[in-house]
Amino acid sequence: MSALARERVPFLGVTVTPLRVEQLIPVIGDFLNDGQVHTIAGHNLHSVTLCHSDEAFFDFYQNSDVVLMDGAPVVYLWGSRNEHQGRRVEYRLGSTDWIPELFRLPQIQRVLVVGSTPEANLLGVARLQEILPDATVQGLHGSDWDQGLERQFLNLAHDFKPQLVLLGLGMPLQEHVLLRNKEALPPATYCTVGGAIDQLGGVQRLAPRWLGRMGFEWAWRLMLHPSRVASRVFVEPWILGCILARKKIQRFRKKRALKKSRS
């Protein structure tokens, strides 16, 4: 794991790497320069819920080099401590916040964009090529992901030798793809970016960044994609709350039992 400092998010039981966009870009540059396998992920309430219900998923996050805060609740809970008040919104980084800033890294020569539909992938590749005019950008769609596409991804990664891989297969598929193939991955920086390829290519309308900074990007997504987002907005927070409450009760009972055994 990277030596970058991690901080615990109160109540959620996860750790994050607090970085602003101007801090993240040099970190990515360092990863590209050392030629090793690195992973960059982002935490929102969905990923936090998965961390508490999927042990392999939790291990992926624990062993990622960078875990950004990609959800307003995560940022606000992290920033609830006094030293972060007033500047916490600067640390909310979705993939579409930092991808446009990759032009600041002239060492980027090869980028692989994996995910979304064939049409959206082409649009995302074209947009990234505009951001990085001196780099070679290749794409592979993620529709109906199966073992064949997974082998194609690995073969392409070994043949193309990308420095940076944007993996947008949705959560938790994208994380499990990296987990399943961690011993076979060629050196590169692998970034799990969810639906960012659709947004990058203009297939999905990106919420205004001021709305995201206020913590209401969920309302924008709910309005545009109600069937996809409703359960995450209205159901998943309760599921997470129940999981965390159950774990707290289990810790309390274990602590009480240990205390009784010592008395």
Side-chain angles (χ1 to χ4, degrees):
M1 187 190 301
S2 170
L4 289 168
R6 287 283 185 90
E7 294 187 18
R8 193 167 184 83
V9 180
F11 307 110
L12 295 184
V14 296
T15 58
V16 294
T17 319
L19 293 171
R20 299 188 301 271
V21 66
E22 66 271 17
Q23 297 171 318
L24 173 63
I25 296 302
V27 169
I28 295 175
D30 290 341
F31 290 168
L32 299 179
N33 291 336
D34 73 17
Q36 303 296 315
V37 172
H38 294 282
T39 54
I40 296 176
H43 253 322
N44 52 34
L45 284 187
H46 186 44
S47 61
V48 172
T49 303
L50 288 168
C51 274
H52 286 286
S53 57
D54 183 334
E55 186 175 344
F57 190 91
F58 177 77
D59 288 342
F60 173 81
Y61 271 78
Q62 285 296 101
N63 290 288
S64 287
D65 296 274
V66 172
V67 179
L68 303 171
M69 290 182 282
D70 185 21
V74 178
V75 175
Y76 284 113
L77 285 172
W78 166 79
S80 61
R81 292 164 296 182
N82 291 333
E83 64 265 30
H84 299 303
Q85 290 289 349
R87 58 189 182 94
R88 56 191 173 189
V89 293
E90 301 175 13
Y91 291 88
R92 182 175 185 263
L93 289 188
S95 303
T96 50
D97 292 314
W98 58 264
I99 289 175
E101 300 299 315
L102 290 174
F103 73 91
R104 302 182 184 278
L105 298 173
Q107 66 266 52
I108 297 181
Q109 298 176 349
R110 297 174 305 282
V111 183
L112 180 58
V113 179
V114 181
S116 195
T117 64
E119 298 79 8
N121 187 274
L122 285 173
L123 291 170
V125 167
R127 175 63 185 125
L128 194 58
Q129 191 69 75
E130 293 176 358
I131 296 170
L132 299 168
D134 296 326
T136 301
V137 183
Q138 286 196 21
L140 174 67
H141 75 86
S143 294
D144 301 318
W145 190 267
D146 57 14
Q147 290 183 352
L149 272 176
E150 197 157 314
R151 286 193 298 270
Q152 192 175 342
F153 159 58
L154 289 174
N155 291 337
L156 181 56
H158 281 278
D159 293 340
F160 180 47
K161 295 180 173 57
Q163 298 161 289
L164 183 69
V165 178
L166 304 183
L167 193 62
L169 298 174
M171 192 182 290
L173 176 58
Q174 57 197 10
E175 291 80 13
H176 280 290
V177 167
L178 294 180
L179 279 168
R180 282 196 296 266
N181 300 286
K182 60 183 179 181
E183 301 301 329
L185 294 173
T189 297
Y190 296 84
C191 310
T192 54
V193 299
I197 297 172
D198 286 344
Q199 295 165 350
L200 194 64
V203 176
Q204 287 185 12
R205 293 176 62 189
L206 184 63
R209 301 326 291 154
W210 62 266
L211 196 64
R213 287 192 292 271
M214 291 177 64
F216 291 106
E217 189 169 344
W218 62 267
W220 176 272
R221 294 181 178 179
L222 182 64
M223 180 179 65
L224 294 181
H225 309 284
S227 61
R228 184 190 308 174
V229 178
S231 64
R232 288 195 183 185
V233 172
F234 297 117
V235 178
E236 195 161 62
W238 293 99
I239 294 174
L240 176 60
C242 290
I243 291 173
L244 294 176
R246 184 173 68 248
K247 288 192 172 185
K248 187 172 183 179
I249 291 171
Q250 289 172 345
R251 287 195 298 269
F252 173 76
R253 287 176 175 173
K254 185 177 180 180
K255 185 176 180 180
R256 188 173 62 178
L258 182 62
K259 186 177 181 180
K260 284 184 176 180
S261 67
R262 291 176 175 175
S263 60

